[in-house]
Amino acid sequence: MACSSVQTFSQQGVDDAQSETTYTELYERFANLVSSFPSSEGLSNTKLYRHDHGWHCRLVPMVGAMVADACFAARPSDIVVATLPKSGTTWIKSLLYATVHRRQHPPPTTVGSAAVDHPFNTSGPHELVKFFEFQLYTKEKAISTNLDELPDPRLFSTHVPFVSLPRSVVATKPLGCKIVYVCRDPKDHLISQWNFANRFRARDGLEPLPVETAVELFCDGLTPFGPYWDHVLGYWHAHLMDPDKVLFFRYEEMQRDPAAHVRRLAEFVGLPFSSEEEDDGTVDAIVELCSFERMSRMDATKGGRTKLAEGSLPNGAYFRRGVVGDWANHLSAEMARHIDAITEAKFKGCGAASVRANKNPKTESTNPELYQAFANLASSLPTTEGLSNNKLYRHEHGWHCSLAPMVGSIVPRSVVATKPAGCKIVYVCRDLKDHLISGFRVKDGLEPLPIETAVQLFCDGMTPFGPYWDHVLGYWHAHLADPDKVLFFRYEEMQGDPGAHVRKLAEFVGLPFSSEEEDGGTVDAIGAHE
C-alpha cells in the first residue's frame, strides 16, 4: 500500500511523493538510513542515533517519527499531545481524553464513586491516545483501527521535537490541527527519566547507571528526543508565534491548579465547559478521575499492558510519583547548580521568564522583545565562514545565514499554515551554476574570493539560506503537495517565455487577464518590463 498523506516527501529520503512505495519498503528505507547516522551511548544499553535535525533517539522511535512525517495526514480537528518522556505525558493524555470525551463518557461526579463504564477502567491513557512513533508507525504498522476511520476529534501523541513533527501537523492552520505541549522542570524530568531507564537496565541484567553519569549525559544532550532545552524552546517559540495553535503548559503549574488548566485545555480544543457543567462539578470530576491516586488504582493500570513497537509495557510502569521537587532527593547541590546554569543560559533572552511564569505572549511580549529573543537565540547557534565576511549561523533546520535575515525569517510560520485562507507562495529557482556565479560576483570591498573556494563552499552548502538543493526541493515538494498554494517557476523558462509565465502568475494569484487586457497587449507589456 502507498502512504496516503498530504506530505510529499521526507527530507530524510522519500524522493518521489507520487511513487507506489509500499509501507514496508518505506519503513526499511528509513531504518537503513537511521542505521547510518552517528550513534552514542545513552541512559540505557540501546544506542542513540543522531537525527539530522540535531536530536538523539533509539532507532525504532526515530524511524517511526520519520515514517509519520512522510505518511501522516492531519485533519482540522486533530489534537496532538507533545512532551519529552517523563514530563507528565500520562497525565496530560488522561486529562485531554477525559475532557474531549466527557459527554460520551461522563466522569463520576461523586468523589470516590466508581468509574465502571469509563474507558480508563479497561484501557490505559497510552492505548487511548497513541504515539506516532511507538504505536502507529511501527515496522508492522500496528494500528488497531485505520486512522481514516477514526471519528473526530482524533487524539495523538509524540515525543519528537517541534522541528520534526509531521509536516501536515504544523501546516494545517487555520484548518485547526492543534498541539498541546507540557514541559517539566529539567531536574525532575532528568530524575524521572533516570529512574525509568534504570528499571529497564535491571530488567536486562545491567548495573544501574550512576546519577552522575545521567547528569553528564543530560547536560550533553544525549537523551532520547534531544536536549531538554532545545525541545522546550522549539515548542515555546511555536507557542509565541501562534498561541491559538500551540498550547504550552508547565507541569508544576498544572499540579498547583489542575482545574484551571483543564478549563484552558477545553477552551483551547474548542470544547469549553458550559455553565451547567461548571455547576455540576464536571471540571473537578475530570481532575479527580485523572489524578495519580485514582488512575493508579484503575484495573487497566494495575493489570493492563500497552503494546509498543519494541514490545509491551505494564501500564503501572507509567505511574511513578509525579512529585514536584523530587530531584532534591537525588542530585547534589553542585549538580543542581550546573543544570540551573545551563537552563539560565539557554533560556536567557528567549522568554525564559515567560516559560517559567507561563505568561500570555500576546500581552507580555512586544515585537522588539521578541526580535531580541530570537537574536539572542541565533547568536548562540554554531557559526562558520561563508562567501562574504559575515559569519553564517547554522539554523536548527540545517541551513546557514547571516544573523539579521535569519532572525527575521524565524517569524512567519503562519505563511505555510494559512490555506485555505489564501496565502500563496511564488518560488523561482535558477540554474545552480548561474546562481553560484551571480552571488559570487557580489563585491564587498574585500579581496576577491577564489572561484575554487566559492565552489567548495557552495557544494558544502555553506551559502546564505542553506544548500541550493535543499532549498529548491523544499519548495518543489510543497508545490507538488499543493500547486494551488505554491507556484514553482524556473528562471530559464521565464526568460524563454515571459508572457506565458505572467499569465500563469496572474491566474495563480486570482487575477487572470481579461480578454480586453489580452487584446490590449497588457500581458506583453508586463512581460517586457525591465
Side-chain angles (χ1 to χ4, degrees), residues 322-391:
V323 176
V324 174
D326 184 46
W327 62 264
N329 297 317
H330 304 277
L331 298 178
S332 68
E334 183 179 354
M335 293 175 187
R337 282 194 297 270
H338 183 44
I339 295 172
D340 287 343
I342 296 175
T343 304
E344 187 67 29
K346 292 284 188 179
F347 288 174
K348 184 178 181 181
C350 299
S354 297
V355 172
R356 290 171 180 167
N358 211 21
K359 296 178 182 178
N360 186 338
K362 286 187 173 180
T363 59
E364 298 293 339
S365 296
T366 66
N367 191 59
E369 290 170 343
L370 184 62
Y371 186 95
Q372 190 58 50
F374 282 125
N376 292 338
L377 177 62
S379 298
S380 68
L381 298 174
T383 62
T384 190
E385 297 301 320
L387 294 176
S388 70
N389 64 329
N390 292 326
K391 284 183 179 179

